[in-house]
Amino acid sequence: MASTDPQESPEDLPKVLLLKKPPSFQFFEGESFTSTKFQYLKAYESPLPLHQFLAAHAQSVQAVLASGGASINADILQLLPAVRVVVTTSAGLNQIDIPECRRRGIAIANAGDVYSADVADLAVGLLIDVLRKISASDRYVRQGLWATKGDYPLGAKLSGKRAGIVGLGRIGYEVAKRLEAFGCYISYNSRKKKPNVSYPFYQNVSELAANCDALIICCGLTKQTFHMINKEVLSALGKKGVIVNIGRGAIIDEKEMVRCLVAGEIAGAGLDVFENEPDVPKEFFTMENVVLSPHTAVFTPESLKDLSELVVGNLEAFFSNKPLLSEYMDE
Amino acid sequence: MASTDPQESPEDLPKVLLLKKPPSFQFFEGESFTSTKFQYLKAYESPLPLHQFLAAHAQSVQAVLASGGASINADILQLLPAVRVVVTTSAGLNQIDIPECRRRGIAIANAGDVYSADVADLAVGLLIDVLRKISASDRYVRQGLWATKGDYPLGAKLSGKRAGIVGLGRIGYEVAKRLEAFGCYISYNSRKKKPNVSYPFYQNVSELAANCDALIICCGLTKQTFHMINKEVLSALGKKGVIVNIGRGAIIDEKEMVRCLVAGEIAGAGLDVFENEPDVPKEFFTMENVVLSPHTAVFTPESLKDLSELVVGNLEAFFSNKPLLSEYMDE
């Protein structure tokens, strides 16, 4: 079928479909994520409506590169019968209909361990910040208030505190490793108890919350984890407890968390993710006990370079009939 | 000698002189730092001029409790011939004329290890913040700019970076221990190479700066360390390097650091201390690559409770002719 898409390359390289421009592309366009072994087919640059665009390429697209913002659901997959692999630029896979991929025999490769260190670094940074009031006192100093109004209120100690990790995957493990060096006592909640892990395990996330000073959300977003951090869990965390979220916004019932923060039912929050990004509840903007990060946990130039190599490596492996570098297996 | 000071207790408890109110007292007044074995003699609450006040108590004051802001110099000590111990609420001793104390046979006890964990926690927090732009992006989100202007510029990775510790005392060691858990490579500068420490040692601080990505100032302020971080050291650190200071402001040539930050000759700074606190150079207020903390590294309620116990314990030990709990020995 002849294509009228002006973006299509005259070369006969295999095509990798992009529905939306991945956030990571903007930092490297033209320099990274490129290969001599495939070409990108950018739906977002075509003037055609999406279903027409997909229909035009239905037989030729065997690979999709998906990012966090572009849903790969059953409707999309139905229009792309030749697809055999979905590679993502994200560590989380909540935008992908995994059962439908499995049914169609489509392999999935995610960003693997590329982001883990960066995400864990930011999680610890947010935790120190919310406990020790770094961003809040930085605002205070910048407004010239230190000289005129005196000392800023004390923060709370991190060293020796009890940290509860929700989701002890790669990221959760990296967070735990770092916090151990601060003398923190680690415990965790996960779908099941991990073999070969000595940290205390709590089957129930409320029980974990009741037995820690800081709850750090490191799990992925699934039907099971949607609003898992609800009123009961926040109550269990209590008025001296703080929460850090570097997972996905919708793991926390955000309205309930806002209410708890306003009412002083929890002490503070360090948040890299929100339910309706980039929209952030306006109540947060004037709170001194929250730290707001614009979903930057995964992004540093160093990790994006690693991501570029992994994405290209996965796609080249697919087109060469070699094993994927970071294939996602169901647990 | 009869005293007319209305603050003097009718009890016959030994007296501990306070020249200024220690910053730590404001958080606990009436609850902590108290003892049944001594009483405080508060010069700052007396209407008398200081020299008259000291003259009135010259024969009875055997102990002084000193804080960071109150200088214990030769002039003061000359007016207090009965003093045999100076206990400080600070870890640093730059406000105390140590040679003069030695000459007069006055023992010194400092805050020992009480603050080390808190200071190290904040040092790491400032480092993550300046690299990952936490405070700067928090301001961005609070201003509603994420939704209207899009993603915030990328920060830089911490994990795997080279961290240079200036002053590997208790605090420096605690910083190093934490940063090792982030996969950082540690090296250090100190007056002399430490036995039993495997981190690479640099005799020269410029050489350390040239061989690290982040320079973390953990030493005390002495004649030798005053403006030790000068133009040469900052140039060696370079335009991708960041600096964190939780020591004392005057260890850095602040004017030169401001110039380097404005000119992009270093990448950023996380500062808990300044040369003329609480006055902070106004140039900092609008810089996005600095994090400004109002000298809060040492203060959390938890560490202040420990401090109270240590200060009271030192003074009670002195009045009971027992060994001081945290006597400062010259190195």
Side-chain angles (χ1 to χ4, degrees), chain A residues 23-41:
Chain A
S24 41
F25 270 40
Q26 69 181 304
F27 301 110
F28 284 105
E29 191 85 70
E31 293 170 39
S32 291
F33 295 101
T34 57
S35 168
T36 55
K37 300 196 176 144
F38 61 82
Q39 59 184 314
Y40 289 113
L41 188 65

Side-chain angles (χ1 to χ4, degrees), chain A residues 138-139 142 159 178 290, chain B residues 138-139 142 159 178 290 297:
Chain A
D138 172 86
R139 285 195 297 276
R142 278 171 195 269
S159 285
R178 285 158 176 72
V290 297
Chain B
D138 172 87
R139 286 195 297 276
R142 279 172 194 268
S159 285
R178 284 159 176 72
V290 297

Side-chain angles (χ1 to χ4, degrees), chain A residues 23 26-28 114 117-122 124-126 128-129 132 134-144 146-148 151-159 161 174 177-183 272-274 277-280 284-304 306, chain B residues 23 26-28 114 117-122 124-126 128-129 132 134-144 146-148 151-159 161 174 177-183 272-274 277-280 284-304 306:
Chain A
Q26 69 181 304
F27 301 110
F28 284 105
V114 161
D118 275 345
V119 177
D121 290 354
L122 195 80
V124 175
L126 289 173
I128 302 176
D129 194 322
R132 299 296 299 274
I134 295 179
S135 292
S137 63
D138 172 86
R139 285 195 297 276
Y140 185 81
V141 175
R142 278 171 195 269
Q143 288 162 18
W146 188 16
T148 57
D151 286 336
Y152 195 76
L154 292 187
K157 196 179 187 97
L158 170 59
S159 285
K161 287 284 165 72
E174 291 292 325
K177 193 180 81 174
R178 285 158 176 72
L179 290 179
E180 276 197 284
F182 290 79
D272 186 53
V273 286
F274 303 87
E277 297 170 11
D279 289 322
V280 171
F284 284 151
F285 292 175
T286 52
M287 284 186 194
E288 292 296 295
N289 57 343
V290 297
V291 187
L292 309 171
S293 172
H295 203 147
T296 53
V298 295
F299 287 139
T300 65
E302 292 90 341
S303 64
L304 284 172
D306 294 341
Chain B
Q26 68 180 303
F27 302 110
F28 282 105
V114 160
D118 275 346
V119 177
D121 290 355
L122 194 80
V124 175
L126 290 173
I128 301 176
D129 194 322
R132 299 297 298 275
I134 296 178
S135 292
S137 63
D138 172 87
R139 286 195 297 276
Y140 185 80
V141 175
R142 279 172 194 268
Q143 289 163 18
W146 188 17
T148 57
D151 287 335
Y152 194 75
L154 292 187
K157 198 181 186 94
L158 170 60
S159 285
K161 287 283 164 73
E174 291 293 324
K177 193 180 81 175
R178 284 159 176 72
L179 289 178
E180 275 198 284
F182 291 77
D272 185 54
V273 285
F274 303 87
E277 296 171 11
D279 289 321
V280 171
F284 284 152
F285 292 175
T286 52
M287 284 186 194
E288 292 296 295
N289 56 343
V290 297
V291 187
L292 309 171
S293 172
H295 204 147
T296 54
V298 295
F299 287 139
T300 65
E302 294 89 341
S303 64
L304 284 173
D306 294 341

Side-chain angles (χ1 to χ4, degrees), chain B residues 223-234:
Chain B
K223 278 179 191 166
Q224 288 72 41
T225 64
F226 176 83
H227 281 201
M228 176 173 62
I229 308 302
N230 54 20
K231 184 173 181 171
E232 182 196 340
V233 177
L234 294 166

Side-chain angles (χ1 to χ4, degrees), chain B residues 5-330:
Chain B
D5 180 4
Q7 290 298 316
E8 193 170 4
S9 160
E11 302 169 61
D12 202 23
L13 289 175
K15 295 183 183 70
V16 175
L17 176 67
L18 279 169
L19 293 174
K20 280 193 180 180
K21 185 173 177 175
S24 42
F25 270 40
Q26 68 180 303
F27 302 110
F28 282 105
E29 191 85 69
E31 292 169 40
S32 292
F33 295 99
T34 57
S35 168
T36 55
K37 300 199 177 141
F38 60 82
Q39 58 182 317
Y40 289 113
L41 187 66
K42 298 174 179 174
Y44 56 89
E45 289 186 351
S46 167
L48 295 177
L50 182 62
H51 67 280
Q52 276 186 41
F53 181 85
L54 295 182
H57 298 282
Q59 304 310 317
S60 62
V61 171
Q62 291 191 291
V64 179
L65 178 56
S67 56
S71 180
I72 307 292
N73 54 31
D75 292 345
I76 296 283
L77 291 170
Q78 199 178 351
L79 297 171
L80 297 165
V83 164
R84 288 295 162 265
V85 71
V86 174
V87 174
T88 75
T89 59
S90 59
L93 294 173
N94 56 292
Q95 79 280 25
I96 294 173
D97 186 336
I98 298 174
E100 182 65 14
C101 287
R102 294 299 178 228
R103 206 182 63 76
R104 291 178 171 270
I106 298 172
I108 301 170
N110 68 2
D113 213 16
V114 160
Y115 300 123
S116 303
D118 275 346
V119 177
D121 290 355
L122 194 80
V124 175
L126 290 173
L127 179 58
I128 301 176
D129 194 322
V130 69
L131 286 173
R132 299 297 298 275
K133 304 179 191 286
I134 296 178
S135 292
S137 63
D138 172 87
R139 286 195 297 276
Y140 185 80
V141 175
R142 279 172 194 268
Q143 289 163 18
L145 297 175
W146 188 17
T148 57
K149 294 184 72 176
D151 287 335
Y152 194 75
L154 292 187
K157 198 181 186 94
L158 170 60
S159 285
K161 287 283 164 73
R162 298 166 303 164
I165 312 283
V166 179
L168 197 71
R170 286 159 166 166
I171 291 170
Y173 173 75
E174 291 293 324
V175 172
K177 193 180 81 175
R178 284 159 176 72
L179 289 178
E180 275 198 284
F182 291 77
C184 290
Y185 300 95
I186 311 294
S187 54
Y188 75 104
N189 162 262
S190 206
R191 273 167 294 186
K192 39 192 171 184
K193 192 174 186 317
K194 305 270 174 188
N196 309 318
V197 166
S198 60
Y199 304 135
F201 168 71
Y202 289 92
Q203 182 96 48
N204 182 297
V205 72
S206 283
E207 214 182 310
L208 176 71
N211 286 284
C212 72
D213 306 299
L215 201 61
I216 301 151
I217 313 302
C218 302
C219 60
L221 177 62
T222 62
K223 278 179 191 166
Q224 288 72 41
T225 64
F226 176 83
H227 281 201
M228 176 173 62
I229 308 302
N230 54 20
K231 184 173 181 171
E232 182 196 340
V233 177
L234 294 166
S235 292
L237 182 60
K239 63 182 185 177
K240 289 191 171 177
V242 299
I243 193 162
V244 167
N245 191 3
I246 45 79
R248 284 287 182 271
I251 297 167
I252 302 179
D253 179 341
E254 200 171 68
K255 272 192 187 159
E256 185 58 29
M257 177 170 62
V258 169
R259 196 196 60 72
C260 286
L261 285 162
V262 169
E265 292 176 23
I266 64 171
L271 306 169
D272 185 54
V273 285
F274 303 87
E275 277 207 69
N276 301 300
E277 296 171 11
D279 289 321
V280 171
K282 300 248 177 311
E283 295 94 328
F284 284 152
F285 292 175
T286 52
M287 284 186 194
E288 292 296 295
N289 56 343
V290 297
V291 187
L292 309 171
S293 172
H295 204 147
T296 54
V298 295
F299 287 139
T300 65
E302 294 89 341
S303 64
L304 284 173
K305 187 166 171 293
D306 294 341
L307 175 67
S308 165
E309 288 170 15
L310 183 65
V311 161
V312 169
N314 268 311
L315 290 166
E316 291 185 348
F318 169 75
F319 290 119
S320 313
N321 294 312
K322 290 182 184 161
L324 297 175
L325 303 183
S326 59
E327 183 162 6
Y328 173 77
M329 304 293 187
D330 296 321

